Amino acid sequence: MSLSQVAPAATLGPIRQTYAGNAEIPPMAAAYREVSQVVRETGLMQRTPVFYSLVGAAVLLALGGCVTGFILLGDSWFQLLIAAALGIVFTQVAFLAHEAAHRQILSSGPANFRLARALAGVVGMSYHWWDSKHTRHHGNPNQVGKDPDIEVDTISFLEEDAAKSRGFIRLITRKQGWLFFPLLTLEGINLHYLGIKHLVTRRKVKGRWIELSLIAARLALVIVPVFLMLPLGMAFAFMGVQLAVFGVYMGASFAPNHKGMAIIAPDARLDFFSKQVRTSRNIKGGWWATVLMGGLNHQVEHHLFPNMSRLHLSKARGIVRDYCSANDVPYTETSLGRSYAIVIDYLNRVGLAARDPFDCPMAAELRRA
């Protein structure tokens, strides 16, 4: 099976979704031990402080450029370009927060934790909310009932969830593949809301007031200057563009990684290597894809070695690919554009479960064709 293959065409029925389990995925008990030994012997688990210092400096310089441009432009609709640039910069900060949370940047766990929490505050998100969710995702990617990233939240990733949708959400679900990217324009607001809701409503949150203070300070530093220096309509447009670009960029970076890959049955007990490789998708493109996606383009290697520096993921890719080739393990890698097509197709097929129960399945298939 070719290593560069893309995910096969979806074969979901209109209302029946099957899950992969132990029968479909043979065990690879020694695989992770063998691959990780080669990775460690090659030195790919070493920290890269110079690299992250340069990345941090570049992001800080870009942020400074946005602030300078905002001040110099004044009352001008060209400010919307600054808003878009800020959405991009904040996403790059989120990538660094993600890497710090995985202990990729600094040498100690506590130092990485403090850095991740501070960077999440710069973005306007709750680190505690994100970390609790992301940790569960890494442990059980695409596994029903265990991965929070496939739980329904406007978008349904499982047909059983799509079939339960009602009202206006049901209308969205039926065309959710085509609506996916337009809906991402609201994801920036959603990420801020979910983080604040988590901090306010959860009973036990470590560092609750620190995170709330960071988010409040960040929002004030962004919102207050915008509404003080710009006319009211322009200020709202500025915030809308910034949040929309941030939401689309974040969603477009994370969506290709697992959506449309194998969905694991809730009772399946898979070995670590098989579970991570078979549910993850890499994006081709070399260094530019790594810069654009903050290392998320090497999703297979990131899930196998979550605390590996972004700089080393491309080298680990060669090791993992060779091992998969030698052991006939599917290794999925495709272009960024093709990955989006796969995601849209998968979501549309899942959305078929939200159709009218009296609708003819054959007619629905003909309409799709």
Side-chain angles (χ1 to χ4, degrees), residues 1-3 5 261 277-278 280 300 324 327-332:
M1 190 172 292
S2 173
L3 292 174
Q5 68 180 17
M261 296 299 293
V277 172
R278 289 176 179 265
S280 301
V300 174
C324 288
N327 291 274
D328 197 27
V329 177
Y331 182 102
T332 304

Side-chain angles (χ1 to χ4, degrees), residues 112-124:
N112 275 298
F113 165 73
R114 289 190 293 269
L115 178 60
R117 186 165 63 180
L119 292 173
V122 171
V123 175

Side-chain angles (χ1 to χ4, degrees), residues 276-277 280-282 298-304 320 331-332:
Q276 303 299 339
V277 172
S280 301
R281 177 191 296 113
N282 275 12
H298 296 297
Q299 192 66 194
V300 174
E301 291 71 33
H302 170 62
H303 263 256
L304 288 173
V320 176
Y331 182 102
T332 304

